[in-house]
Amino acid sequence: MCLALVISGCATGNYVVLLESPDGTTGSVVIEDANGQTRLDRKNQGTNIGPSGTRSGPFEVTEARISRDFAAALAAQPPLPQRFQLHFKIGSADLTEESERTIDDVFEAIRLRGPSAVSVIGHTDTLSGARWNEQLGLIRAKAVAELLRQRNIEVIDLRIESHGERNLLIKTADGVSEPRNRRVEISVR
């Protein structure tokens, strides 16, 4: 049996173990029953559970034991979302030279994943005003989506939107040219 992987833990037999998230963080979980509470807040920390009425405090679970006890649950996890960023020249939908060099690698990673849901979100800096930036973000997102189509990359669901100058990667005042904010974010699920 596997507890929701959202909390990064699984249970099998008579114990639960907290796993590290793919981003290297570890949340926490509190196991509570008639015998009290046990808090797990470190990678590979476990505690006994079940009807036995006894509980030992938190204990460390080895990688080998996790692999053995949770092999089926770990193998059944869906692939994690992939995220990519492409950057643009000022005031346009033209990719920067660096993004021109990496775009094929991005699209190949998407192709290798197989048919997926893809989100393409255009962003801008704050240089030209909110109204134009909203339009420019959408123009950028549509340009990247068109490149996906031209390369015959199969997608289940393609969502295209603009955040314009909202959701800046680098916070700036209005009217500031910031190259890292001129981007399209691609999320593949």
Side-chain angles (χ1 to χ4, degrees):
M1 177 174 135
C2 191
L3 295 177
L5 291 174
V6 173
I7 62 170
S8 300
C10 290
T12 185
N14 62 351
Y15 76 101
V16 64
V17 61
L18 187 64
L19 302 179
E20 183 177 71
S21 295
D23 67 2
T25 61
T26 303
S28 65
V29 63
V30 175
I31 310 299
E32 183 175 3
D33 63 15
N35 297 315
Q37 293 183 345
T38 302
R39 179 183 172 87
L40 306 178
D41 56 13
R42 289 192 326 269
K43 172 185 170 184
N44 297 357
Q45 191 178 44
T47 188
N48 291 322
I49 60 172
S52 66
T54 61
R55 178 175 313 150
S56 61
F59 56 86
E60 296 303 311
V61 183
T62 66
E63 292 288 340
R65 184 174 177 192
I66 290 169
S67 293
R68 183 187 70 230
D69 292 346
F70 301 106
L74 293 170
Q77 293 182 94
L80 295 170
Q82 289 178 284
R83 296 187 188 341
F84 305 96
Q85 282 188 16
L86 297 171
H87 292 90
F88 294 82
K89 295 177 183 174
I90 193 167
S92 76
D94 297 328
L95 292 168
T96 62
E97 289 179 21
E98 182 179 349
S99 289
E100 282 280 355
R101 287 190 301 270
T102 63
I103 192 167
D104 288 331
D105 295 337
V106 170
F107 290 155
E108 184 61 17
I110 295 169
R111 183 186 325 280
L112 290 173
R113 186 179 177 102
S116 302
V118 178
S119 168
V120 182
I121 303 173
H123 298 267
T124 67
D125 57 22
T126 61
L127 195 57
S128 297
R131 177 180 257 167
W132 167 245
N133 285 336
E134 191 71 24
Q135 292 173 6
L136 180 57
L138 188 58
I139 290 168
R140 289 174 175 163
K142 286 180 176 180
V144 169
E146 182 56 30
L147 291 173
L148 279 167
R149 287 185 193 103
Q150 289 173 3
R151 285 169 171 81
N152 296 318
I153 296 174
E154 189 176 351
V155 298
I156 297 168
D157 182 32
L158 178 61
R159 302 204 183 244
I160 303 164
E161 63 182 286
S162 173
H163 287 192
E165 63 182 53
R166 298 173 285 134
N167 301 322
L168 297 171
L169 189 62
I170 307 300
K171 300 292 183 199
T172 67
D174 286 343
V176 175
S177 173
E178 173 51 64
R180 293 170 288 182
N181 287 333
R182 295 191 297 266
R183 69 196 189 283
V184 161
E185 294 179 347
I186 304 167
S187 176
V188 185
R189 305 171 305 293

